[in-house]
Amino acid sequence: MDDCLFCRIVRRESPARLVKEDDLALAFRDTNPQAPTHILIIPKAHIQSIDAARPEDEPVLGRLLLMAQVIAREEGIVGGYRLVFNNGRGAGQTVFHIHLHLLGGRPFRWPPG
Ligand code: 5GP
Ligand code: ZN
């Protein structure tokens, strides 16, 4: 999508601190980190939200989770980590290109705010 911030990062038209990339997914550091490690993992193809995902998106959605697992190990996160998809404005989604938040390096409370 031409006007999507995260599509522009995929196309290298906007800068980002890249962490990992494969054929389906891209990971980069969040510019406003909410934890010592805060990385966003996105599909390279534009999908607006989890709610907009289709059955054929299943492989890429799985890839996001497994890329998070690998990055968490590589980042040396100890004591657990939090994985979050904000879905829709009411849940705090502000960028409408699916992104998995990987947060680590501090304790997390439940329920989330
Ligand atoms: P959301 O609120 O949609 O779940 O998360 C969007 C995330 O994208 C936020 O954590 C925000 O800090 C991050 N973000 C917004 N703009 C940029 C940007 O230009 N670059 C990077 N790396 N992260 C961004
Ligand atoms: Zn996009």
Side-chain angles (χ1 to χ4, degrees):
M1 280 235 319
D2 288 351
D3 60 346
C4 170
L5 172 62
F6 288 176
C7 283
R8 287 202 299 272
I9 290 175
V10 171
R11 294 195 300 266
R12 309 298 204 268
E13 293 169 8
S14 289
R17 293 174 63 201
L18 300 183
V19 174
K20 191 173 280 298
E21 178 175 23
D22 67 13
D23 56 325
L24 293 178
L26 183 71
F28 52 90
R29 295 189 193 277
D30 197 296
T31 47
N32 184 24
Q34 302 302 312
T37 298
H38 188 173
I39 291 167
L40 302 175
I41 306 166
I42 70 170
K44 286 183 163 176
H46 183 85
I47 308 170
Q48 187 170 302
S49 65
I50 289 290
D51 202 49
R54 303 155 300 171
E56 54 266 39
D57 297 321
E58 184 175 334
V60 69
L61 296 177
R63 186 69 63 84
L64 301 183
L65 292 165
L66 291 173
M67 186 177 277
Q69 175 209 70
V70 171
I71 293 170
R73 287 178 184 156
E74 290 176 352
E75 292 281 314
I77 297 172
V78 293
Y81 50 88
R82 178 70 55 85
L83 298 175
V84 176
F85 288 107
N86 291 324
N87 180 76
R89 288 186 201 283
Q93 187 175 2
T94 59
V95 178
F96 286 83
H97 178 135
I98 287 180
H99 45 283
L100 175 61
H101 294 261
L102 165 61
L103 299 133
R106 66 167 173 85
F108 295 94
R109 295 192 187 145
W110 194 263

